[in-house]
Amino acid sequence: MFYIGCHLASSKGYEAMGRQAVDINANTFAFFTRNPRGGSAKALNLKDVEAFLKISSENSFGKLVAHAPYTMNACAADPKIRHFAREAMADDLQRLEATPNNYYNFHPGSHVKQGVDVGIEFIADQLNTVLKSDQSTIVLLETMAGKGSEMGRSFEELREIIDRTEVSEKLGVCFDTCHVWDAGYDVANNFDGVMEEFDKIIGLNRLKAVHLNDSLNPCGSHKDRHAKIGEGFIGADAIIRIINSKYLKGLPFILETPNDIDGYAREIEFLRKNYSE
């Protein structure tokens, strides 16, 4: 099964997102758990959730990939920001139990001149406080481009966070094609090699979801600027090879390209036409 979708606005609720996904021929999607640039979260409507679960079942949806707000920084120098990150993640994970067995993706954060070792320690500390063995949601560390003091720029950094996390069976990785390209991994010309390196360092069993994006910048630029499929340096041919890779079969692919909903529909149509079961 090819699970493909995009980021949808969560402001109208789960049912509306589910119907919009069906309208654009998507069978998964991502959404922000709360205001992506703030901290507020909309109250959970269980009737809305129930209506969505019916849509999901009827349309054979794959795993959803909920996204933490951009304001969450688990390794910030300011303890108040770290406190918000911890409380927001704990609250998000509790709320996501209403739609069980899905994914919760977050940016590891920026160490803000404290150094990589301190950043890893703070991130692992948050995960060790928040993750519970009985939760159904798998938390995903996102691969990052490495701009500034951004954590998660290498597979080795993610591996260190995983190794320091006690309930690590609830931890996985979301592979962002633009980010890893900008971080210096040549996914356009040597995707199999990148996957073999990922497997050696992290393990393919940890790979749970893909953010499918082209990049406006050359490989290794560390800038993180997404492009529409086929309009960046990765290119459409490489993206088609990626979605058909044996390493990614059955994973949810989430588009985060700079598009409106009609643009996402066109990209989903293009990708479905070029996917081989």
Side-chain angles (χ1 to χ4, degrees):
M1 181 71 76
F2 182 40
Y3 297 108
I4 181 71
C6 62
H7 257 278
L8 296 177
S10 60
S11 57
K12 294 183 179 180
Y14 278 99
E15 182 181 9
M17 287 190 291
R19 294 192 184 283
Q20 190 170 44
V22 172
D23 287 344
I24 60 173
N25 200 20
N27 53 1
T28 182
F29 59 86
F31 63 97
F32 283 103
T33 54
R34 57 188 63 226
N35 186 328
R37 301 291 181 184
S40 61
K42 186 177 180 181
L44 199 62
N45 182 331
L46 294 181
K47 288 185 177 180
D48 174 54
V49 171
E50 183 179 356
F52 161 73
L53 291 175
K54 186 173 184 293
I55 294 170
S56 175
S57 176
E58 290 173 347
N59 292 278
S60 301
F61 276 21
K63 302 281 191 182
L64 304 185
V65 187
H67 202 302
Y70 294 132
T71 47
M72 180 186 289
N73 186 358
C75 58
D78 187 337
K80 291 181 181 178
I81 297 175
R82 295 200 306 275
H83 176 75
F84 164 76
R86 185 171 305 190
E87 294 298 306
M89 180 178 282
D91 182 52
D92 283 348
L93 291 177
Q94 183 178 27
R95 290 154 54 87
L96 286 170
E97 288 302 306
T99 51
N101 302 305
N102 288 301
Y103 297 140
Y104 177 72
N105 179 73
F106 80 108
H107 293 182
S110 297
H111 62 71
V112 199
K113 299 182 180 180
Q114 299 174 99
V116 171
D117 290 341
V118 172
I120 290 170
E121 181 180 353
F122 279 143
I123 296 164
D125 180 62
Q126 172 167 315
L127 292 170
N128 285 331
T129 301
V130 172
L131 298 187
K132 307 299 180 186
S133 59
D134 61 348
Q135 70 184 56
S136 71
T137 302
I138 301 297
V139 174
L140 307 183
L141 294 157
E142 184 171 341
T143 57
M144 302 304 295
K147 63 182 186 293
S149 61
E150 200 171 57
M151 298 293 299
R153 69 180 64 204
S154 70
F155 298 157
E156 287 84 358
E157 284 186 7
L158 296 178
R159 178 77 247 183
E160 286 197 52
I161 295 168
I162 293 167
D163 285 345
R164 297 191 193 188
T165 302
E166 294 163 3
V167 190
S168 63
E169 68 271 19
K170 300 298 181 181
L171 200 57
V173 173
C174 177
F175 187 100
D176 188 300
T177 55
C178 171
H179 293 176
V180 294
W181 169 263
D182 279 27
Y185 296 94
D186 190 352
V187 296
N189 300 298
N190 187 27
F191 188 73
D192 283 359
V194 173
M195 286 292 94
E196 288 165 7
E197 185 175 356
F198 183 97
D199 190 30
K200 181 180 178 180
I201 296 169
I202 297 177
L204 286 169
N205 62 309
R206 297 278 184 185
L207 183 53
K208 304 297 184 182
V210 178
H211 282 171
L212 193 65
N213 305 298
D214 213 324
S215 174
L216 288 176
N217 297 289
C219 185
S221 64
H222 301 290
K223 289 185 178 180
D224 183 13
R225 295 183 64 201
H226 297 191
K228 296 177 182 179
I229 302 301
E231 296 185 12
F233 280 88
I234 298 175
D237 289 344
I239 293 292
I240 290 169
R241 290 194 297 272
I242 289 170
I243 64 173
N244 286 289
S245 170
K246 63 182 180 181
Y247 296 105
L248 307 180
K249 292 295 183 182
L251 299 186
F253 290 86
I254 302 296
L255 292 161
E256 294 183 316
T257 50
N259 265 313
D260 57 17
I261 198 65
D262 291 334
Y264 282 131
R266 288 191 294 271
E267 286 188 337
I268 289 170
E269 180 182 14
F270 169 77
L271 294 166
R272 287 202 180 281
K273 286 181 177 178
N274 286 280
Y275 179 77
S276 300
E277 290 288 354

